Amino acid sequence: MMKQDLKISLPVYKIGYSLAFIVILSCVHSVVYVNEIGPAIDGKMAVLTLVFCADTYLIERQSRRREVFRLYLIKNQYYAVLRRITVQIGYLTVISILAYGMFYWQKPAVLDEKRSGIFLFLLYCGVVFITVFFWSVLSVTVCNLLQSVWGGMGMLFLVWLFLVSKAGEKLLGVWNPFSYEFCEFSELTEWKWAAGKIITAVCAILLLLLQKKILEKRG
């Protein structure tokens, strides 16, 4: 069962375009200081995640396995979706960490010795995990509710555009899911920006718990 979910969750073409994405990102987005690496990646990983996870459930319809899948108990469908989301979150988190290391070819400088490179890296790991977690679950949820991969991706892309814009920054402030990206380096250890990440993590957990109900309604 897990082997099948791995095959469904991580097809070769997804691995190919996700790796190409982080390579291109590390080449086209210039950084001067180490503290700029995390914010340079965090918001972009949200886009990759929402595209990567959009067909997590609807792949059954696209591959004409839908009628077979619908014969499963809702509980079994739910666990299958959870396994796939878990695999995708794990993979996307790993390549997010890989992306961080790839930026070092630009030889960024450490801006403040009090906030070491290790601290910034560990902080980034926690932040990007929450980003991947939230956008993966949100992508699966919206696409399943709309019963459309392209419709779900389009809607979420518009939401993402607003959140990363200046308007989104001003309107939501520290509650913005990308508050880490907007945070000034001097305010990093004040932790006010963490409110945005905490609320997105809570929302992701709630959406994950709702998946069974959504499958009952739309599955």
Side-chain angles (χ1 to χ4, degrees):
M1 186 72 71
M2 191 61 184
K3 185 177 180 180
Q4 181 183 5
D5 289 325
L6 278 170
K7 186 177 179 180
I8 293 171
S9 303
L10 300 177
V12 175
Y13 79 92
K14 282 191 176 184
I15 294 174
Y17 76 65
S18 60
L19 292 176
F21 179 88
I22 63 171
V23 171
I24 294 171
L25 179 61
S26 67
C27 292
V28 302
H29 198 304
S30 61
V31 297
V32 177
Y33 300 106
V34 172
N35 60 283
E36 295 175 339
I37 299 176
I41 304 171
D42 186 48
K44 316 312 185 291
M45 281 306 302
V47 175
L48 176 61
T49 300
L50 73 87
V51 173
F52 197 95
C53 300
D55 65 351
T56 299
Y57 172 73
L58 295 178
I59 190 71
E60 301 293 345
R61 182 167 65 183
Q62 295 171 348
S63 59
R64 298 181 181 179
R65 292 194 302 264
R66 186 183 187 188
E67 296 306 320
V68 174
F69 193 70
R70 290 183 68 177
L71 293 176
Y72 296 168
L73 296 174
I74 291 295
K75 178 179 70 173
N76 294 338
Q77 293 183 36
Y78 174 63
Y79 289 145
V81 172
L82 287 187
R83 287 194 299 269
R84 294 174 192 179
I85 293 176
T86 301
V87 168
Q88 291 171 334
I89 290 173
Y91 170 76
L92 290 168
T93 301
V94 168
I95 68 166
S96 299
I97 294 171
L98 178 62
Y100 190 95
M102 294 179 69
F103 271 83
Y104 273 86
W105 75 267
Q106 300 183 32
K107 298 181 179 179
V110 176
L111 185 61
D112 185 352
E113 293 295 339
K114 294 180 180 179
R115 298 178 181 89
S116 67
I118 294 176
F119 166 76
L120 293 172
F121 171 69
L122 293 176
L123 179 62
Y124 163 78
C125 288
V127 165
V128 81
F129 172 77
I130 293 174
T131 296
V132 169
F133 179 35
F134 174 70
W135 287 91
S136 61
V137 178
L138 184 63
S139 181
V140 172
T141 303
V142 172
C143 290
N144 195 14
L145 286 173
L146 296 180
Q147 293 289 287
S148 170
V149 171
W150 291 104
M153 287 194 298
M155 178 182 292
L156 290 176
F157 184 69
L158 292 176
V159 171
W160 176 84
L161 280 177
F162 168 72
L163 292 175
V164 298
S165 68
K166 288 295 182 181
E169 179 186 3
K170 291 180 180 179
L171 181 64
L172 299 177
V174 297
W175 300 103
N176 191 305
F178 300 112
S179 51
Y180 165 76
E181 187 172 341
F182 297 131
C183 179
E184 294 292 336
F185 183 63
S186 60
E187 301 172 349
L188 195 62
T189 52
E190 293 181 9
W191 303 105
K192 293 179 181 179
W193 59 269
K197 290 301 177 183
I198 292 172
I199 195 67
T200 52
V202 172
C203 288
I205 293 171
L206 292 176
L207 287 175
L208 204 59
L209 295 175
L210 286 173
Q211 291 304 307
K212 185 180 288 188
K213 290 293 182 183
I214 294 170
L215 287 170
E216 290 174 353
K217 296 290 184 180
R218 307 295 290 175

